[in-house]
Amino acid sequence: MWRLRKGAHPVLTDGGGAILNEHTGRWTYLTPTASAAVMLLLASNTEAQAVDRFAERYFLPPGQAAADVHAVAAALIDQGLAADRPEPARRTRCRGRS
C-alpha cells in the first residue's frame, strides 16, 4: 500500500496541491494531475487500482496512466515524502521503577 511518510502533510485538491515535509520545512508543489494521482494513490489499496482510476478520470490508455502515476509516486518516494511499504514500527523501551 502506498502512503505518505510520517511528517509529510498533504494539502490536495483537484486544482493542484502541495505536501509539507515537516522535517525540512519545505513544500513540494503539485500540478492538478499530480495532485489527483496522489489522492488516488492514498485512496487505493494498490498502485494498480490507482492507475485504473486515473485512466478512467483522464480517459488515458492504461500504459500512459501507469507511467504517469508511477512517475508521481517515484518522485515523492525519491524526495522522502512517500513510502510504498509500511515503515517499521519504532521500538520503545518501557522502564520500570526500581
Side-chain angles (χ1 to χ4, degrees):
M1 172 187 261
W2 192 91
R3 65 183 186 76
L4 294 174
R5 289 195 183 274
K6 185 178 179 181
H9 304 282
V11 179
L12 305 170
T13 69
D14 286 334
I19 301 173
L20 172 65
N21 182 339
E22 84 177 23
H23 300 293
T24 65
R26 292 188 176 167
W27 288 90
T28 296
Y29 296 97
L30 306 171
T31 65
T33 51
S35 181
V38 172
M39 285 190 283
L40 291 170
L41 284 162
L42 292 171
S44 300
N45 291 324
T46 64
E47 189 172 314
Q49 187 180 42
V51 166
D52 290 342
R53 291 177 178 175
F54 192 79
E56 283 179 26
R57 176 180 268 186
Y58 292 104
F59 306 103
L60 295 171
Q64 181 63 53
D68 292 350
V69 170
H70 181 72
V72 171
L76 294 177
I77 289 168
D78 288 347
Q79 293 177 33
L81 294 172
D84 58 358
R85 62 184 73 75
E87 292 179 7
R90 292 182 182 221
R91 296 175 68 179
T92 58
R93 292 184 182 181
C94 295
R95 294 185 185 183
R97 294 185 181 215
S98 305

